[in-house]
């Protein structure tokens, strides 16, 4: 552990901390910790900084390297757990483990135990009002409770979080949502320790919700009172236990690294017979345990945190680490009693039995082995791609219905109207479809660049019930003015909050604005959204749906006949219903989005000040456009990324200490492949960062040219191995095939064909590709550098924009003028009737 390595790591930790200084998640978490017992570990600063790891230790005469070596003594074999997950036999694994881990010393250390709860009486019965960075009001009601881990077989917190966090009719959330007070609600217990835990109810409030904060808190306590009065219900516990058991039995395989980390964590908490189960299977109905937690959710033990910019000018304290402004008020049980009395009078009640709990988990018979997706059905209204599950043999299915609507994005007004239409659809479905999600049937409706998409995944038994409800909601869509107002308000704040996003996210946004045809700037979308009224949206939606084509994908435990009947039913529901606004789209109206073709041997540079000048971080994204989807070029670029990503990280982050966020990766935009290098930094300005990226590529040129045959073959083998890694679950496999359909590439045998090419690839071909497309002065190199300057680097920004362009560089000042001057890469999508399987 060299002194130099210690210093580099301190700088990396400090860079990470500076990245988080304006993050409300970190700020509010530390505020909660700050308002706890000072002698409890929970009270301490969460991460680290230059001040805590360098300045203060030196002031106290401490050598941080020696302190780290002392701390290392805690790593004793008696406190450590190990999971090894490999294909070999147990004897082979044992031999491997003994050879690799037998030298880990056992110094018989004691396991660290926290004192119990970090909150004493003085930290309870409080209302904390805090000022966030971003727009939006948030409310969090929490109580210290007995950790659920102590009663994992009974699962009392799971039972209560299910009810308090429910979103169906009769729930807390359903009532406050219908009143226009809240946009979401999350409830549950969480902890970093076996010794203490907190049960929290958190929600995002609307402006009206902020004004009714006391009523909302009163309603939460009113529901807790209902749970006490109504008693604990065994049928609810049994229903949850049944859902959990089905979920455990049919759990999807995950990546080995995720599996071993979750398992090793269980070993620390549970007895050996429970290591693979953990707390996922509560099986003991113990109403006394549930009542014990319920009693802890009392007015005497509550702490309330409300975040809002409306508190500006009325706070009198500041949290020391993030400088979050806040004030504290006492909240007595008597005050909460008054809030309960003036809470909404709408009837609260427990959820009814869940109709989506699967009963039929049998596997379907598939007569023909199907290797790749096939077009099963094609009409002027839709096309169906189908693939049965031939790998996982699980009673699940994945369905995508892609609504291709060419009128969805022809203007900023159309784009925000389509987005709000989708948001309202999800909002309307929530109360009904929430039970489906609990039962393992998930759905999403989200915006795409050419319309919107409905995805449904999970147990196939009740899939059609949910899918039919979604389609009926789309067909019968009306604009409800109260929900329109609430969602518009939230959406406006989300657009405004982009100003507070990380600078590297802002750089990535500008890059996409440069590259993508017909991408509307956020400022224009915000202007359009601010002017949008409910009657305008009501007129727009029939217009939007008057040109529609459905691209459908169904994969999983489903027979071909049923897949066809599902799409036929959807067609009948949306196109063939009397007075339907849906009309078929002609092939000539098929909308494709294309990517700008950059000029070879020219480096374009876009320099702009960060949207939040208080953020100390600047950022650069250097994008190198290489080729349009082609198997041979793909493998060469992937191989370069594999070889160069770790050295780039090492040089730019570890050695040069430019910033915590530093990476080199592959990127594909609508089938156009590229490399991108991202750095976010407080220590250097973006122009300097960009020059260091160039210098890395110049230095790395010799590494590529001097690559030994052995290293070349080793990297090729590593890439082949990663490509041949099997899909872990249905969603992963479906995602790959749908990605090919969505991009228009249709290379379902991509893995096999690219692996075959890799086996034949010569080192000389690879070097030739690097020299032609990637090295700094390559004849086919096409580059854009997007540079976002923070307030820290305002002088450097002024200097940079005043400088004359260097040879072979082009400064971008008008993104849209630049886009109009450039040709486009061809689209890989054929559209209806034009698709080929070549």
């Amino acid at each position: 552990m060299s002194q130099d390595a210690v210093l580099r790591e301190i700088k990396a930790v400090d860079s990470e901390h500076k990245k988080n200084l304006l993050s409300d998640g970190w700020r509010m978490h530390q505020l909660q910790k700050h308002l706890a017992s000072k002698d409890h570990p929970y009270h301490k600063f969460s991460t680290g900084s230059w001040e805590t790891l360098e300045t203060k230790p030196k002031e106290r005469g401490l050598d941080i390297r020696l302190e780290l070596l002392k701390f290392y003594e805690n790593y004793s074999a008696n406190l450590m757990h190990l999971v090894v997950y490999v294909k070999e036999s147990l004897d082979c694994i044992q031999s491997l483990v003994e050879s690799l881990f037998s030298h880990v010393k056992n110094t018989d250390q004691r396991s660290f135990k926290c004192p119990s709860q970090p909150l004493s009486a003085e930290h309870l019965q409080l209302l904390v009002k805090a000022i966030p960075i971003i727009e939006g009001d948030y409310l969090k009601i929490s109580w210290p409770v007995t950790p659920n881990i102590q009663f994992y077989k009974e699962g009392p917190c799971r039972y209560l979080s299910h009810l308090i966090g429910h979103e169906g009719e009769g729930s807390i959330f359903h009532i406050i949502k219908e009143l226009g007070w809240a946009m979401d609600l999350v409830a549950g217990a969480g902890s970093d320790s076996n010794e203490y835990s907190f049960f929290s109810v958190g929600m995002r409030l609307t402006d009206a919700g902020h004004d009714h904060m006391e009523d909302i808190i009163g309603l939460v306590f009113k529901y807790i009172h209902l749970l006490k009065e109504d008693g604990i219900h065994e049928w609810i516990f049994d229903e949850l236990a049944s859902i959990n058991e089905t979920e455990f039995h049919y759990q999807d395989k995950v990546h080995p690294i995720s599996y071993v980390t979750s398992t090793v964590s269980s070993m620390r908490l549970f007895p050996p017979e429970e290591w693979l189960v953990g707390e996922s299977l509560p099986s003991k109905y113990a109403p006394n345990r549930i009542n014990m937690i319920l009693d802890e959710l009392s007015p005497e033990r509550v702490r309330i945190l409300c975040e809002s910019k409306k508190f500006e000018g009325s706070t009198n304290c500041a949290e020391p680490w993030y400088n979050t402004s806040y004030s504290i008020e006492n909240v007595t049980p008597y005050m909460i009693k008054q809030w309960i009395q003036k809470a909404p009078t709408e009837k609260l009640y427990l959820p009814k039995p869940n109709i989506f709990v699967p009963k039929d988990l049998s596997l379907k018979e598939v007569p023909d082995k199907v290797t790749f997706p096939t077009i099963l059905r094609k009409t002027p209204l839709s096309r169906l791609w189908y693939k049965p599950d031939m790998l996982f043999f699980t009673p699940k299915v994945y369905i995508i219905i892609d609504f291709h609507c060419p009128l969805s994005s022809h203007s900023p007004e159309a784009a925000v109207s389509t987005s709000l239409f989708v948001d309202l659809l999800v909002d309307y479905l929530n109360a009904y479809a929430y039970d489906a999600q609990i039962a393992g049937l998930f759905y999403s409706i989200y915006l795409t660049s050419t319309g919107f998409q409905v995805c449904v995944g999970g147990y196939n038994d009740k899939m059609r019930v949910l899918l039919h409800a979604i389609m009926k909601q789309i067909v019968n869509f009306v604009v409800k003015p109260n929900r329109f107002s609430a969602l518009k308000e939230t959406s406006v704040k989300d657009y405004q909050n982009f100003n507070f996003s990380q600078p590297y996210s802002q750089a990535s946004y500008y890059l996409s604005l440069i590259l993508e045809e017909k991408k509307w700037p956020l400022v224009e979308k915000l202007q359009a959204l601010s002017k949008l009224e409910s009657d305008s949206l009501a007129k727009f939606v029939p217009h939007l749906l008057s040109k529609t084509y459905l691209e459908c994908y169904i994969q999983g435990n489903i027979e071909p006949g049923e897949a066809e009947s599902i799409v036929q039913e959807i067609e009948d529901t949306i196109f063939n219903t009397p007075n339907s606004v849906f009309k078929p789209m002609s092939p000539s109206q098929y909308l494709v989005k294309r990517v700008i073709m950059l000029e070879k041997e020219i480096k374009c540079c876009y320099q702009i000040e960060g949207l939040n000048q208080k953020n100390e971080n600047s950022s650069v994204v250097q994008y190198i456009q290489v080729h349009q989807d082609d198997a041979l070029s793909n493998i060469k670029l992937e191989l370069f990324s594999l070889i160069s990503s770790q050295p780039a990280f090492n040089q730019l982050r570890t050695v040069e200490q430019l910033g915590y966020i530093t990476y080199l990766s592959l990127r594909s935009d609508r089938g156009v492949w590229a490399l991108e290098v991202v750095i976010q930094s407080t220590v250097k300005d973006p122009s300097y960062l960009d020059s260091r990226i160039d210098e890395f590529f110049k230095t790395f040129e010799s590494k590529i040219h001097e690559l030994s045959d052995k290293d070349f073959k080793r990297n090729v083998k590593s890439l082949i191995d990663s490509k041949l890694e099997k899909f872990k679950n249905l969603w992963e496999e479906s995602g790959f095939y749908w990605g090919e359909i969505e991009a228009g590439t249709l290379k379902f045998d991509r893995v096999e064909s690219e692996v075959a090419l890799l086996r034949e690839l010569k080192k000389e071909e690879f070097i030739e590709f690097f020299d032609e497309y990637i090295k700094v002065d390559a004849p086919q190199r096409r580059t854009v550098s997007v540079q976002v300057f923070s307030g820290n680097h305002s002088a450097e920004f002024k200097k940079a924009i005043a400088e004359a362009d260097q040879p072979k560089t082009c400064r971008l000042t008008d993104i849209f003028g630049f886009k109009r001057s450039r040709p486009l890469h061809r689209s890989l999508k054929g559209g209806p009737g034009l698709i080929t399987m070549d």
Side-chain angles (χ1 to χ4, degrees):
M1 195 180 283
S2 70
Q3 191 69 48
D4 184 50
V6 169
L7 188 62
R8 285 202 307 268
E9 191 57 32
I10 291 172
K11 287 180 179 177
V13 170
D14 186 62
S15 177
E16 182 180 13
H17 171 60
K18 285 176 177 171
K19 171 183 73 72
N20 299 333
L21 281 172
L22 299 180
S23 166
D24 283 328
W26 285 100
R27 291 161 63 83
M28 298 306 157
H29 177 59
Q30 190 61 46
L31 178 56
Q32 293 274 35
K33 289 158 67 68
H34 177 66
L35 299 173
S37 301
K38 287 183 170 57
D39 57 352
H40 195 286
Y42 177 76
H43 174 78
K44 294 184 178 185
F45 179 39
S46 289
T47 54
S49 65
W50 184 262
E51 181 187 2
T52 60
L53 296 171
E54 177 69 13
T55 307
K56 284 189 174 180
K58 277 190 174 176
E59 287 173 359
R60 292 161 53 199
L62 294 176
D63 182 328
I64 196 71
R65 178 179 174 275
L66 294 179
E67 294 301 313
L68 283 167
L69 291 172
K70 286 180 196 172
F71 186 77
Y72 177 70
E73 292 169 10
N74 290 300
Y75 290 84
S76 173
N78 68 302
L79 298 180
M80 299 170 79
H81 298 89
L82 174 68
V83 176
V84 181
Y85 181 13
V86 291
K87 289 180 178 178
E88 279 72 25
S89 68
L90 286 175
D91 287 345
C92 180
I93 297 171
Q94 182 174 341
S95 173
L96 186 71
V97 167
E98 285 173 354
S99 66
L100 290 172
F101 294 96
S102 59
H103 297 296
V104 177
K105 293 177 182 176
N106 181 2
T107 56
D108 201 26
Q109 295 287 321
R110 285 187 180 182
S111 182
F112 174 75
K113 297 285 184 187
C114 268
S116 53
Q117 285 289 353
L119 305 185
S120 57
E122 66 181 289
H123 305 114
L124 302 173
Q125 296 184 36
L126 298 180
L127 169 60
V128 182
K129 295 180 176 179
I131 300 174
I133 298 295
I134 66 170
E135 297 291 335
D137 296 356
Y138 294 85
L139 176 66
K140 188 172 187 178
I141 308 164
S142 55
W143 301 261
V145 295
T146 306
N148 196 67
I149 197 77
Q150 296 179 14
F151 309 107
Y152 64 91
K153 285 289 188 186
E154 294 90 342
C157 286
R158 186 176 288 213
Y159 177 94
L160 291 173
S161 64
H162 167 68
L163 295 177
I164 296 171
H166 208 279
E167 298 181 19
E169 292 183 1
S171 66
I172 299 167
F173 178 65
H174 186 67
I175 289 173
I176 58 177
K177 189 191 90 163
E178 290 302 305
L179 289 167
W181 293 353
M183 300 309 298
D184 58 35
L185 184 146
V186 178
S191 172
D192 300 324
S193 162
N194 290 359
E195 284 77 35
Y196 65 89
S197 183
F198 305 100
F199 191 98
S200 300
V201 182
M203 59 198 84
R204 181 176 184 176
L205 304 180
T206 60
D207 289 343
H210 176 88
D211 296 337
H212 288 275
M213 186 177 66
E214 293 175 1
D215 301 336
I216 294 170
I217 296 166
L219 191 70
V220 170
F221 277 101
K222 200 172 175 181
Y223 192 82
I224 291 169
H225 182 70
L226 167 71
L227 295 180
K228 290 180 179 178
E229 289 288 303
D230 210 47
I232 310 305
H233 292 266
E234 190 168 4
W235 75 264
I236 295 176
F237 181 88
D238 289 344
E239 183 180 89
L240 284 174
S242 170
I243 290 169
N244 292 331
E245 191 172 339
T246 304
E247 182 183 359
F248 182 81
H249 187 68
Y250 293 105
Q251 64 184 291
D252 295 316
K253 195 173 184 180
V254 297
H255 284 267
I257 195 162
S258 301
Y259 187 75
V260 295
T261 49
S262 63
T263 305
V264 85
S265 299
S266 291
M267 292 171 72
R268 189 173 58 86
L269 301 170
F270 303 103
E273 64 273 16
E274 307 288 355
W275 283 348
L276 302 184
V277 178
E279 58 183 339
S280 57
L281 290 177
S283 55
K284 290 182 183 176
Y285 176 61
N288 58 321
R289 296 291 187 207
I290 299 171
N291 278 318
M292 177 191 75
I293 301 293
L294 207 47
D295 288 340
E296 292 178 334
L297 308 184
S298 68
E300 289 79 11
R301 297 167 55 82
V302 75
R303 183 156 82 173
I304 302 161
L305 171 66
C306 188
E307 306 168 41
S308 175
K309 287 195 170 183
K310 298 178 181 72
F311 299 137
E312 285 176 342
S314 62
T315 57
N316 55 6
C317 301
E319 186 277 320
W321 295 108
Y322 292 84
N323 201 33
T324 305
S325 298
Y326 71 96
S327 61
I328 295 175
E329 299 173 14
N330 289 108
V331 176
T332 64
Y334 175 73
M335 291 168 67
I336 287 176
K337 186 178 179 183
Q338 290 180 308
W339 296 350
I340 292 170
Q341 288 170 353
K342 72 185 189 81
T345 55
E346 281 82 355
K347 185 169 174 58
L348 291 162
Y349 53 89
L350 300 184
K352 295 170 183 172
N354 191 333
I355 64 166
F356 288 102
V357 175
K359 300 286 188 285
D360 179 7
L361 296 165
S362 61
L363 297 180
K364 310 286 186 182
E365 291 285 334
V366 181
D368 301 320
K369 186 172 181 181
V370 180
T371 308
F372 300 129
T374 56
I375 296 175
L376 199 60
R377 182 180 186 275
K378 189 174 172 183
T379 74
L381 307 177
S382 71
R383 176 170 50 220
L384 167 62
W385 295 87
Y386 165 76
K387 185 183 181 302
D389 174 19
M390 308 299 295
L391 276 180
F392 308 106
F393 305 105
T394 183
K396 297 179 182 179
V397 67
Y398 187 57
I399 299 176
I400 296 171
I401 312 295
D402 186 73
F403 286 73
H404 190 99
C405 305
L407 302 175
S408 63
S409 57
H410 62 275
S411 67
E413 290 76 13
V416 297
S417 296
T418 307
S419 178
L420 204 50
F421 161 66
V422 168
D423 290 344
L424 284 165
L425 276 177
V426 174
D427 185 79
Y428 296 168
L429 281 161
N430 188 68
Y432 174 78
Y434 183 75
D435 269 347
Q437 297 191 359
I438 290 171
L441 197 50
F442 302 97
Y443 79 100
S444 60
I445 308 173
Y446 56 89
L447 200 64
T448 67
S449 62
T450 54
F452 65 99
Q453 201 169 97
V454 174
C455 297
V456 189
Y459 305 113
N460 53 272
D461 183 29
K462 305 291 174 65
M463 180 71 71
R464 290 188 78 158
V465 178
L466 177 61
L467 193 57
H468 181 72
I470 294 170
M471 294 303 147
K472 291 296 285 185
Q473 188 67 69
I474 294 171
V475 168
N476 298 324
F477 179 82
V478 292
V479 178
K480 300 175 184 176
N482 65 324
R483 297 310 301 151
F484 170 86
S485 298
L487 272 91
K488 176 185 169 181
E489 176 194 308
T490 304
S491 193
V492 165
K493 289 176 182 176
D494 287 342
Y495 276 117
Q496 292 170 338
N497 285 335
F498 182 73
N499 291 350
F500 304 106
S501 62
Q502 292 286 352
Y504 79 96
S505 298
Q506 295 178 27
S508 185
Y509 156 72
Y510 292 123
L511 176 61
S512 66
L513 206 57
I514 292 166
L515 292 175
E516 293 183 33
E517 179 194 26
K518 293 180 184 172
K519 183 177 178 72
W520 307 113
L522 288 175
V523 64
E524 291 183 16
K525 289 164 78 172
L526 178 56
Q527 288 169 356
L529 181 60
S530 300
K531 295 174 185 174
L532 184 65
E533 299 297 335
S534 59
D535 57 345
S536 304
L537 182 63
K539 290 174 186 172
F540 171 79
V541 171
H543 176 66
L544 166 74
L545 303 177
S546 67
K547 311 281 185 196
T548 302
Y549 182 78
L550 305 180
E551 189 87 74
C552 309
Y553 181 81
I554 299 180
Q555 178 172 341
N557 186 41
I558 188 165
E559 294 165 348
E562 187 179 1
E564 289 189 73
S565 77
I566 286 173
V567 176
Q568 180 65 61
E569 184 181 322
I570 291 171
E571 277 191 14
D572 291 342
T573 302
I574 68 172
F575 286 107
N576 302 328
T577 306
N579 304 317
S580 172
V581 298
F582 280 89
K583 298 289 183 288
M585 179 195 75
S586 62
S588 64
Q589 295 168 320
Y590 195 81
L591 186 67
V592 292
K593 295 293 180 78
R594 296 160 70 187
V595 174
I596 300 299
M597 184 183 291
L598 299 175
E599 190 170 349
K600 60 187 177 184
E601 293 190 279
I602 296 292
K603 182 179 191 177
C604 299
C605 188
Y606 183 68
Q607 296 166 317
I608 191 167
E609 290 182 291
L611 296 171
N612 177 18
Q613 287 290 288
K614 291 181 181 176
N615 193 320
E616 297 179 10
N617 292 278
S618 291
S619 185
V620 65
V621 176
Q622 188 179 118
Y623 169 92
I624 305 166
Q625 193 177 78
V626 182
H627 67 277
Q628 196 155 25
D629 189 67
D630 167 78
L632 188 56
S633 297
N634 293 352
I635 61 166
K636 292 174 184 175
L637 191 61
E638 286 177 306
L639 187 59
F640 177 78
S641 176
L642 177 71
I643 293 170
S644 62
S645 56
Q646 195 280 328
F649 179 87
N650 182 62
Q651 180 61 36
L652 300 171
R653 184 187 188 273
T654 308
V655 176
E656 298 189 33
Q657 293 283 295
L658 295 178
Y660 177 75
I661 295 174
T662 301
Y663 60 86
L664 179 154
S665 65
L666 284 175
R667 173 174 174 145
S668 176
D669 300 86
R670 308 189 194 287
V672 177
W673 286 53
L675 285 170
E676 71 174 1
V677 185
V678 177
I679 306 177
Q680 181 165 291
S681 177
T682 56
V683 295
K684 295 292 182 181
D685 72 274
S687 294
Y688 179 84
L689 301 176
D690 189 61
S691 70
R692 297 315 300 161
I693 294 170
D694 285 345
E695 189 57 37
F696 166 76
F697 279 110
K698 288 174 184 174
T699 307
F700 202 65
E701 186 178 331
S702 61
K703 301 281 196 304
I704 294 294
H705 286 177
E706 294 164 12
L707 191 66
S708 69
D709 290 344
K710 181 181 177 183
D711 283 344
F712 175 76
K713 288 175 182 175
R714 177 175 54 81
N715 280 291
V716 167
K717 182 182 184 305
S718 178
L719 184 55
I720 288 172
D721 288 346
S722 68
K723 283 184 173 293
L724 291 177
E725 191 174 331
K726 293 178 181 176
F727 296 118
K728 296 293 179 288
N729 51 58
L730 185 67
W731 328 121
E732 217 175 80
E733 186 186 25
S734 301
F736 170 78
Y737 289 129
W738 174 251
E740 293 290 333
I741 295 166
E742 196 169 37
T745 44
L746 303 179
K747 293 178 180 173
F748 299 136
D749 64 344
R750 179 179 295 275
V751 171
E752 294 81 1
S753 61
E754 291 185 353
V755 164
L757 288 169
L758 270 169
R759 296 192 198 281
E760 300 299 320
L761 184 66
K762 302 287 190 295
K763 185 177 75 171
E764 293 72 25
E765 295 175 72
F766 171 67
I767 295 171
E768 187 181 310
F769 176 83
F770 170 80
D771 288 343
E772 185 75 8
Y773 293 97
I774 299 172
K775 74 176 185 177
V776 170
D777 56 352
Q780 296 291 333
R781 198 181 210 252
R782 305 165 191 263
T783 313
V784 171
S785 172
V786 178
Q787 301 172 15
V788 175
F789 289 75
S790 71
N792 271 13
H793 300 129
S794 57
E796 290 89 340
F797 174 70
K798 289 170 185 170
K799 181 184 174 186
I801 60 172
E803 286 177 346
D805 286 357
Q806 297 296 312
K808 293 191 174 183
T809 64
C810 167
R811 191 189 308 271
L812 303 185
T813 53
D814 175 7
I815 288 177
F816 300 99
F818 169 75
K819 286 164 76 166
R820 285 190 289 270
S821 73
R822 297 302 308 153
L824 301 169
H825 279 280
R826 67 184 178 88
S827 171
L828 298 171
K829 295 195 78 167
L834 302 176
I835 210 156
T836 65
M837 297 296 287
D838 298 335

